[in-house]
Amino acid sequence: MTTQADFDLVVIGGGINGVGIARDAAGRGLRVGLAEMNDLASATSSASTKLFHGGLRYLEFFEFGLVRKALIEREVLLRAMPHISWPMRFVLPFHKDMRFEGDTPTSKLLSLVMPWMKGRRPAWLIRLGLFLYDNLGGREILPGTRTLDLAVDPAGVPIKEKFRRAWEYSDCWIEDSRLVILNARDAEDRGATIMTRTKVTSATRVDGLWQITLEGGKTLTARALVNAAGPWVEDVVRGVARLNTSEGVRLVRGSHIVTKRLFDHDKSYFFQGEDGRIIFAIPYETDFTLIGTTDKEHSDLGVVPHATDEEQDYLCAFASQYFERAVTRADVVWTYSGVRPLYDDGAKSATAATRDYVLSLDDNGAPLLNVFGGKITTYRKLAENALKKLTPLIGGTGVWTAGVPLPGGDFKVADKPALITRLQGDYPFLTLPWAKRLIRAYGTDAWAVLGAAKSMADLGADFGATLTATEARWLITREYARTAEDVIWRRSKLGLRLDEKQVAKLERFITATLKKEGKQ
């Protein structure tokens, strides 16, 4: 009976967890389909703070297991995708008035044993946290923590004079939406069927299989179903599969602002507020600074998340506690916001809710695996653990993804500058910023993107900001792009540089290309 199924496994959801599971399963020889109702990475997975990190602040919640798993995974991921991820140093300025958030386990413990601190974070405790951060997961590529004198270090230049001491530690940047796209591409290269803009309307167990109905009436069958719908995970359980569950997610909105560049070095800042919260200020797309994030409850998925005036004012005021020149709303050039589906563990506040994930298997008939929560750094291990639950039921080979590069990532972390130089040598018409952008987006696939071009004219229409028809065509044919928004905000961040006329020209090109290829 199992041979009658169209797929061994169908995944609902085209965010990082969904594509990660699809890639892992396809690489094990399973027949995989993935259905995403919108574009890939169109929700949470393109709205993160864009870091592979262990979660330094999670240590205050005694989430040692989560932090250790994430720290171990950090360098595994960096090696597999050195084009879209790179090491980053974070500067953590210290001042005696920094405080804990009131309901963390650490703050409660310190209030008992050191009540005279009145909620303040002592320097020795921060240094202990950084020591644990350096050593819990092991490091081979990333350098450890060091102390900075902000009176003489360049990182102190844009910071207020009261911050004279800081620590500098390591984490990694990740181009989050490109991470999703490349996982989907690799899954497809390994035999998976990726269906974007394809909504699943119902899923029913019939004769030992899942019968899955898509919007428009098409039906598929699968031996197992994975619900990786992110914020919509409960809607899929109850509304699509029509099953009951006692498990759920807590929807937390994280908003970010992007400002004109606020400092002239390539390090990031980890800012601790007097209210106990933290934010990052990160160099972004060469000419900008990314500041975030907030933690706000978001109860209605019918309301598209956006950075509210209150959140923007909060982030500006928070950053202004540190920067010598105040950050104002006039500095903001773009904002974005996403809803994080955190596993509902009953925590009192959004900040305290766990960032760990829960995989819930319903094997009362054809298997259904529901994915609750998770964070971008642990997506590969989440996928591995999902398949650990499913392979005894549907087959498939063993673990394989650790150390296997994503498309374009088949080079060493330290070799990126040489790769940029080689690309410029092979295509002399490329400027350095253009070559750097292409390598950071496509890695060794940059040569396939540019093909036999001998001049810029060979690349076709110029949409601005080094985006050409040749690259746009690649994004349409190889990376599932269907609109200008897909291209300028999820395959790149060129939306920061293109004006309305340029975007309209790109939209017309995409429409014509899709029509020509019969994909509309």
Side-chain angles (χ1 to χ4, degrees):
M1 180 171 295
T2 56
T3 58
Q4 298 174 359
D6 299 315
F7 297 100
D8 295 313
L9 180 67
V10 165
V11 180
I12 300 175
I16 188 55
N17 291 333
V19 296
I21 291 170
R23 177 194 184 222
D24 194 324
R28 295 172 189 248
L30 296 171
R31 295 167 300 143
V32 179
L34 180 144
E36 161 57 44
M37 63 181 177
N38 298 308
D39 183 27
L40 297 172
S42 58
T44 310
S45 295
S46 59
S48 75
T49 311
K50 309 182 194 312
L51 301 176
F52 279 152
H53 65 122
L56 180 60
R57 73 179 184 85
Y58 303 153
L59 292 174
E60 291 188 359
F61 295 90
F62 297 164
E63 293 262 21
F64 299 112
L66 172 66
V67 174
R68 175 175 163 75
K69 285 188 291 186
L71 288 172
I72 292 171
E73 187 68 2
R74 195 175 51 176
E75 291 195 7
V76 174
L77 297 175
L78 178 59
R79 287 188 175 94
M81 53 198 79
H83 48 332
I84 62 168
S85 180
W86 50 88
M88 186 170 275
R89 296 291 278 173
F90 287 78
V91 176
L92 195 165
F94 176 76
H95 188 267
K96 62 183 178 63
D97 291 331
M98 291 171 175
R99 295 181 179 274
F100 293 105
E101 189 176 26
D103 62 354
T104 70
T106 302
S107 68
K108 292 176 181 177
L109 179 61
L110 263 292
S111 68
L112 288 175
V113 298
M114 300 176 66
W116 59 89
M117 293 298 295
K118 297 181 179 179
R120 294 192 298 272
R121 280 186 176 102
W124 65 264
L125 187 65
I126 296 172
R127 189 62 189 89
L128 174 61
L130 288 167
F131 173 82
L132 291 173
Y133 204 70
D134 278 346
N135 293 282
L136 272 175
R139 291 175 294 103
E140 294 182 12
I141 299 175
L142 301 174
T145 298
R146 71 185 185 105
T147 302
L148 299 183
D149 179 354
L150 294 180
V152 297
D153 193 278
V157 172
I159 300 299
K160 290 181 177 179
E161 284 192 10
K162 74 174 184 177
F163 300 103
R164 294 297 82 192
R165 178 184 181 190
W167 295 278
E168 182 183 290
Y169 71 96
S170 292
D171 264 321
C172 296
W173 176 264
I174 178 61
E175 299 284 356
D176 54 3
S177 53
R178 290 208 57 75
L179 175 65
V180 176
I181 304 303
L182 295 182
N183 269 272
R185 263 193 62 200
D186 201 47
E188 185 172 65
D189 289 346
R190 297 174 190 277
T193 300
I194 306 297
M195 299 168 280
T196 62
R197 292 175 166 84
T198 303
K199 186 174 184 177
V200 175
T201 56
S202 72
T204 309
R205 288 179 169 121
V206 178
D207 295 331
L209 299 175
W210 281 101
Q211 182 171 295
I212 300 158
T213 304
L214 308 179
E215 200 168 53
K218 182 178 179 180
T219 60
L220 309 170
T221 54
R223 296 170 59 202
L225 184 65
V226 170
N227 171 14
W232 294 271
V233 61
E234 289 185 63
D235 291 356
V236 169
V237 175
R238 297 189 174 96
V240 175
R242 294 185 293 279
L243 299 172
N244 293 320
T245 179
S246 59
E247 295 174 300
V249 288
R250 183 174 193 157
L251 302 177
V252 176
R253 185 177 67 253
S255 295
H256 299 75
I257 59 175
V258 174
T259 69
K260 292 171 280 190
R261 185 168 179 166
L262 298 176
F263 45 90
D264 294 323
H265 58 77
D266 60 359
K267 296 174 184 178
S268 298
Y269 291 99
F270 178 115
F271 292 154
Q272 307 169 84
E274 293 182 7
D275 62 354
R277 292 210 66 254
I278 67 101
I279 62 168
F280 296 100
I282 304 171
Y284 190 59
E285 296 292 318
T286 306
D287 300 316
F288 306 94
T289 300
L290 172 64
I291 299 174
T293 180
T294 59
D295 278 316
K296 294 288 185 181
E297 303 285 354
H298 190 91
S299 58
D300 186 358
L301 280 172
V303 176
V304 176
H306 70 281
T308 64
D309 289 344
E310 177 190 359
E311 287 174 302
Q312 293 184 54
D313 288 341
Y314 172 81
L315 292 172
C316 287
F318 198 145
S320 296
Q321 294 174 21
Y322 282 82
F323 287 120
E324 187 67 51
R325 186 181 74 79
V327 182
T328 70
R329 292 283 292 278
D331 295 312
V332 177
V333 298
W334 182 52
T335 69
Y336 67 89
S337 186
V339 175
R340 300 189 291 272
L342 307 180
Y343 182 71
D344 192 352
D345 59 355
K348 288 183 179 179
S349 72
T351 303
T354 183
R355 266 56 176 175
D356 213 344
Y357 59 83
V358 171
L359 303 175
S360 179
L361 179 64
D362 176 355
D363 57 0
N364 184 25
L368 168 65
L369 184 71
N370 295 307
V371 180
F372 296 95
K375 60 196 293 281
I376 196 167
T377 313
T378 52
Y379 90 90
R380 190 195 66 84
K381 289 298 292 184
L382 182 153
E384 215 170 64
N385 288 325
L387 270 297
K388 185 177 180 180
K389 288 179 176 287
L390 289 170
T391 51
L393 303 173
I394 61 173
T397 56
V399 298
W400 67 275
T401 56
V404 177
L406 288 175
D410 50 338
F411 63 95
K412 293 181 180 179
V413 174
D415 290 346
K416 186 183 287 185
L419 208 64
I420 294 168
T421 300
R422 181 156 67 88
L423 187 68
Q424 273 195 289
D426 291 344
Y427 299 94
F429 57 87
L430 295 178
T431 62
L432 179 59
W434 189 357
K436 184 181 292 187
R437 181 182 73 79
L438 291 174
I439 292 298
R440 284 187 165 186
Y442 307 107
T444 55
D445 276 346
W447 280 262
V449 173
L450 296 173
K454 300 297 182 184
S455 68
M456 187 169 175
D458 293 337
L459 299 178
D462 176 10
F463 302 109
T466 71
L467 178 64
T468 65
T470 293
E471 184 179 357
R473 194 174 292 110
W474 170 276
L475 296 174
I476 295 166
T477 59
R478 300 300 304 277
E479 296 195 4
Y480 318 99
R482 294 293 177 268
T483 69
E485 182 181 334
D486 296 351
V487 169
I488 67 173
W489 292 119
R490 287 184 286 277
R491 277 55 174 188
S492 72
K493 289 296 180 284
L494 293 174
L496 289 166
R497 303 181 186 279
L498 298 178
D499 61 31
E500 288 184 9
K501 287 185 178 180
Q502 291 168 319
V503 174
K505 180 181 177 181
L506 173 64
E507 194 76 77
R508 290 193 298 271
F509 173 82
I510 293 172
T511 300
T513 302
L514 290 172
K515 186 175 181 180
K516 183 178 179 181
E517 296 186 3
K519 293 184 177 180
Q520 252 192 350

